[in-house]
Amino acid sequence: PESARSARADDFSALRVKYGLSDRPFALYPAVTWEHKNHLRLLEALARLRDRAALEVRVVCTGHQTDFWPRIERRMNELGLGEQVKFLGLVPREELSTLYRAAQFVFIPTLFEAASAPLFEAWQHGAPAACSSVRSALASAPSSNSDKPTTGGAFSPGPAGPWKWASGAGPL
């Protein structure tokens, strides 16, 4: 209904003001800043897209900042991504839900994952997701096919809810 869409837009407008977010489309990466969550590789990929393809993907990252955070922050600054990537730290669950609903898609570039909460949460909120080649992350995708390539993948919610492997998804 229109009132639900309006309420979601109002929720995101409040978050934009609170966290200083742009009104431009963005991708979400909700993860603690542990090294294996692969924030560094994500930053390098974003810089490569910007420099080689003139594609500026805005990313909002959430999650607790660990002792590895200074390395991530330093690399982000070295790559000149300060305007493109925003780290919010730990956010309340309601705000995270709003970010999932507002995101164009969710990144999950982790190097290790027992089970991917961000992948399940993206599915719950109807957000497409791009994940790394970690077999457990791919196997966690609703309706994923374990015989698909292990170079990473993109999943998109279908009209009835189950996700489908995005055709042509290549290495992330």
Side-chain angles (χ1 to χ4, degrees):
E2 189 61 37
S3 61
R5 266 191 292 262
S6 178
R8 284 194 296 259
D10 289 346
D11 290 346
F12 184 64
S13 292
L15 287 186
R16 277 194 13 242
V17 171
K18 179 178 180 177
Y19 293 112
L21 300 174
S22 162
D23 61 350
R24 295 180 56 197
F26 68 94
L28 177 66
Y29 184 31
V32 174
T33 61
W34 289 315
E35 186 173 3
H36 74 273
K37 293 298 184 176
N38 216 11
H39 288 84
L40 294 178
R41 184 72 167 188
L42 175 60
L43 294 173
E44 291 163 1
L46 294 170
R48 177 181 265 186
L49 284 171
R50 180 198 60 207
D51 297 344
R52 293 187 181 177
L55 179 60
E56 194 171 286
V57 178
R58 299 217 175 254
V59 178
V60 173
C61 297
T62 63
H64 175 73
Q65 294 176 348
T66 66
D67 291 341
F68 192 68
W69 162 244
R71 283 191 57 195
I72 296 169
E73 184 178 37
R74 184 172 51 252
R75 188 66 178 139
M76 181 174 64
N77 292 330
E78 290 168 356
L79 294 169
L81 294 169
E83 294 295 315
Q84 197 175 326
V85 179
K86 185 90 168 173
F87 280 83
L88 307 183
L90 200 55
V91 300
R93 166 85 30 220
E94 303 79 35
E95 292 181 358
L96 183 59
S97 289
T98 299
L99 290 169
Y100 271 109
R101 287 190 306 271
Q104 296 294 304
F105 62 95
V106 178
F107 276 124
I108 308 167
T110 186
L111 297 173
F112 170 79
E113 199 73 49
S116 181
L119 190 57
F120 288 116
E121 290 168 348
W123 172 65
Q124 288 175 332
H125 292 91
C131 66
S132 66
S133 63
V134 175
R135 176 76 61 195
S136 62
L138 292 174
S140 296
S143 300
S144 73
N145 299 321
S146 60
D147 63 338
K148 293 295 180 187
T150 58
T151 56
F155 299 89
S156 180
W163 285 18
K164 301 296 182 204
W165 181 266
S167 61
L172 304 176

